[in-house]
Amino acid sequence: MEQLLGFAVPGVPYGCAYAVFAVGLVLTYQTTGVFNFGYGAQAYASAFVFAWLVDDHAWPTWAAFVCAVVVLGPGLGLVFDRFLFRRIPSTNTTAKIVTGLSLLVGIPALLPVVFGNGNLVGAPSIVFNPGTVYFHLGAGVPVNGTYLSAALFTVAMLVVLVLLLRTTHLGLEMRAAAESSRLLELEGVNARRVTATAWAVSGLMAGIAGVLLAPTEVTIQPQDYVTLMVAAIAAAACAALRSMPVAALFGVLIGVVSLTAQGYLPTSSFWYSAVLPAFPFIVLVGALLFVPGLRRLGQATDPLSSVDPPLPLPAARARGREIDRIVRTGFWALLFAFVASMLTWMPPAWETVLNQGMAYSVVFLSVTFLTGTAGQLSLAQATLAGIAAFTAGQLASHLGLDFLAGAVLGALAASLVAGLLAFASLRLRGLGLALMTLAAALLFDVAVFPAQAVSGGTGGLALESRWLPLDLLSSNGHAYFLLAFVVLVVCAGAVTLVQRGTVGRFLAAMRGSELGAAGVGVNLAWQRVLAFALSGALAGVGGTLLAIQQTVIAPGEFNYQLSLAFVVIVVTTGVGTVEGAIQAGIGLVVLEQLLQYAPQRMQGLAFVVFAIGALTYAAHPEGIVELEKRRWTGRAERALKRLRRAPAPAVTGRP
Amino acid sequence: MIHGGNPALELDGVCAAYGPYRALFGVSFSVQEGAALALLGPNGAGKSTVARVVSGLVPASSGRIRVGGSDVTGKPAWAIARTGLSHVPEGRGVFDSLSVEENLVLSLRRRAGRRNLAASLERAYARFPLLAERRHHRVGTLSGGQQRLVSLAKVLVVPPRVLVADELSLGLAPSVVDDVYAAFADVRRSGTALVVVEQQVDRALGLASTAVVLEHGSVAYVGPPSGARGVVAQVLSRRSRPGSADRR
């Protein structure tokens, strides 16, 4: 008993941290209808600024608290509302998820750019002194200030928020606004102000949580807040995103159970090294599979959503015949110029960069296909790419199989995993599906990819030149370029063909309306599994291509953060078209290369740029490149018309 | 109450669009206090859009809208609602995730005032005893007809200045439709100007003092209900002829 308590009590502050974040997630979801993936990032921002002010600038604690929590917390929430979430049509679940993800990816990358790269040491505690032991539990389990402030704060926050949401009129209005802000407006309530208040409250809570929980970590790193977020997401999912007390309970349980298990399990066992770190994801998967309330999650609730205007047609389909001819000619000219330049005058450094861009483009095609064509959201595309790469690598190293043949088998393996994932989550939609794929990605990150048998440790698996024909690994000559180019063209062509064929029509029908598609005889379950399997194969091909280009298969190249970034990048540039994926791939590497020339602290900015792209995404869900294309097509068409009209001065009447 | 006094709602050359798709082309009509107007027309004629433009859900791209003589064009929906205009949208007009009582409180607290809240809730429950039984149930668990009763209870307890009811009787059992029309007669007696968007032409014309027939987003007829029947029949027959839909 004594031993159990000794292991369990240190789990309390972690559990409380999870609980506080889980409660924040439920609060935001209940009051704004948004599952705020950026919540952890908000908390991180407040904690970072607090520590920065106190440690680096010697501000008094109270002043730093006011600045970092009371001002910055709600301020961030208001900014998110005003510039992002308010612009998203109420039915566009994908847009809400992607915008939240872009915050999760963007904020931790942005902070060092703004405040410098210093590694911050934990923030000072502001309630109880963290080191002091206040009393002992049982005979010998010390309870120090950290435990006390965590527990006290969690309970206080829970009580205040439950009272706010369940007993006040503002709480009632917030819940109503989350369901349909338009219906609330018809009752004479300024729904925008209500939603803004909800975001401010949620931001304040994130700020307080970040600052109060910071002392439990030694240094303040974005990674900690992401781990925390995952456990919190699992706890919130267990509560079906509905009940804050249940979410808090599961949060504390996850913390206590994992630390207790950590105490009892032998450190050398498989359970300790692989299963324990994956514990929150396992809980998340379990919740997604067995909590019935999650199945309807993220479905549109707004009965007045038909007030929003419909999405415009893609530019390629809306343009007239003459513009079409010009664009097509231009495209072929550009393609020819690209191939010719790569083979002749392109400096090797840039050839490498563009090669990498083509490999990324193939991976991005899988996002285009899955999200753009089938309307499904997967946050595990980098994982699928990794599965294929490691499969090919292990086949080559153990069986001496040619890496290119291994790549085909690897793509099949990735396709199989994706299909199984889709099969397991058949009952989930929108947000539930996104969370399921995220859990799978994290599972692979923590438990599979770092394993000795898979990647040979964190250093990764180095490719050997004897596995590959044609000297593909060396950067001399153009073998790799030709391979990547051919693969990209074949993959893009295959996606286009599938999009235009029967399967593409079925998938488009499913994207438009699952109910309608099922009504005309589309087997939704099969189509979903098929879409995931095809997309997994594409991601796998791209992953092996990327591995050859990198010459080493490192787990870090295929982690969940990249999966998130992939989705954000592709969706913000334009997910509806095959060109969109290629533009995104080339755009990402070119941007990263250009940032090499920028000052040191700007290095991580590439993701930030795309996260900022999400700003435009909220207002233009068809993607920024697609939007610009439509604008320029319109301009070109008007210019053509003017040209045509100019030689005939007889036309004077204005329409 | 005053009948045929000042116009409670006036539309003057109102146009509206959903993004690039234009839906209304210069719609004009007015309703007096205590009068009832039936808004008729085939599917896609713009009836619901008129209701949405009036309540501010869809902005008018040109033209003027006045409620009780004051210009509300371009105001947000909540500000228009506060001038005393109540729009019951087509389909579900209540919050699924809230209980019956929470739905009523949300609406009545502002319109009846915080002090009269308890009394007006009692009146709502007295009028619809079924809602009293279900007061703590989530509205999402109620049937479509029962949900419509919640919408009706909100407007009956504190009659608004203008009530825009969009297909309130759609899909309801005939006996419930009778209830709905009895409720319309009640609010009208208390001085509310009624705009009834309806598919059931006879029902609406029986209630209304004026009829407006829409066709392709324009007004095809304004006048006494007796003349509307012929126009509606004409519009419907014109619509069923092939190739007529894209004449405009």
Side-chain angles (χ1 to χ4, degrees), chain A residues 175 179 187-189 301 306, chain B residues 52 92 96-97 110 154:
Chain A
R175 282 183 289 146
E179 183 174 338
E187 300 292 358
V189 179
T301 51
S306 60
Chain B
R52 287 166 174 180
R92 182 162 62 82
D96 251 359
S97 59
R110 188 187 54 78
K154 292 198 286 197

Side-chain angles (χ1 to χ4, degrees), chain A residues 432-512:
Chain A
L433 185 65
L435 289 179
M436 186 73 166
T437 51
L438 178 65
L442 286 161
L443 215 58
F444 272 89
D445 271 7
V446 173
V448 181
F449 286 168
Q452 196 68 30
V454 177
S455 61
T458 46
L461 191 69
L463 263 60
E464 292 170 32
S465 53
R466 65 191 164 85
W467 298 348
L468 284 158
L470 294 175
D471 210 17
L472 274 168
L473 285 183
S474 87
S475 48
N476 302 328
H478 304 290
Y480 183 83
F481 163 70
L482 289 172
L483 173 74
F485 184 73
V486 169
V487 170
L488 179 58
V489 167
V490 168
C491 286
V495 169
T496 312
L497 285 180
V498 172
Q499 276 179 340
R500 286 184 190 163
T502 319
V503 173
R505 301 282 153 136
F506 280 169
L507 293 178
M510 183 169 78
R511 186 183 69 221

Side-chain angles (χ1 to χ4, degrees), chain A residues 124-316:
Chain A
S125 177
I126 58 174
V127 186
F128 295 99
N129 194 359
T132 316
V133 173
Y134 284 83
F135 59 88
H136 288 262
L137 212 67
V141 182
V143 174
N144 66 23
T146 308
Y147 304 169
L148 273 185
S149 37
L152 190 77
F153 171 62
T154 308
V155 172
M157 177 187 173
L158 192 62
V159 170
V160 168
L161 290 182
V162 168
L163 286 180
L164 169 74
L165 215 56
R166 294 289 147 189
T167 63
T168 67
H169 195 68
L170 179 65
L172 178 62
E173 288 181 343
M174 283 177 178
R175 282 183 289 146
E179 183 174 338
S180 168
S181 59
R182 289 205 180 88
L183 218 46
L184 187 62
E185 296 237 316
L186 289 185
E187 300 292 358
V189 179
N190 187 345
R192 284 188 165 187
R193 194 178 292 166
V194 171
T195 308
T197 312
W199 275 105
V201 170
S202 136
L204 180 67
M205 287 301 153
I208 297 177
V211 167
L212 281 190
L213 298 171
T216 54
E217 310 287 347
V218 184
T219 55
I220 299 174
Q221 287 180 339
Q223 193 56 39
D224 300 326
Y225 281 82
V226 174
T227 321
L228 213 152
M229 271 302 284
V230 176
I233 289 174
C238 289
L241 292 185
R242 206 168 285 147
S243 160
M244 291 193 283
V246 176
L249 181 72
F250 273 97
V252 172
L253 273 180
I254 291 177
V256 170
V257 169
S258 28
L259 257 81
T260 311
Q262 200 176 335
Y264 279 109
L265 291 171
T267 45
S268 57
S269 70
F270 166 74
W271 290 92
Y272 187 92
S273 62
V275 177
L276 197 59
F279 179 62
F281 324 139
I282 297 169
V283 174
L284 178 57
V285 170
L288 288 166
L289 289 181
F290 299 114
V291 177
L294 287 175
R295 282 173 207 153
R296 272 170 286 121
L297 211 65
Q299 272 176 5
T301 51
D302 188 358
L304 289 171
S305 56
S306 60
V307 170
D308 292 318
L311 276 185
L313 274 177

Side-chain angles (χ1 to χ4, degrees), chain A residues 78 88 112 153 172 187 229 303 332 369 439 507 513 626 633:
Chain A
L78 288 174
I88 301 177
F153 171 62
L172 178 62
E187 300 292 358
M229 271 302 284
W332 286 112
F369 181 70
L507 293 178
S513 156
E626 193 55 44
T633 311

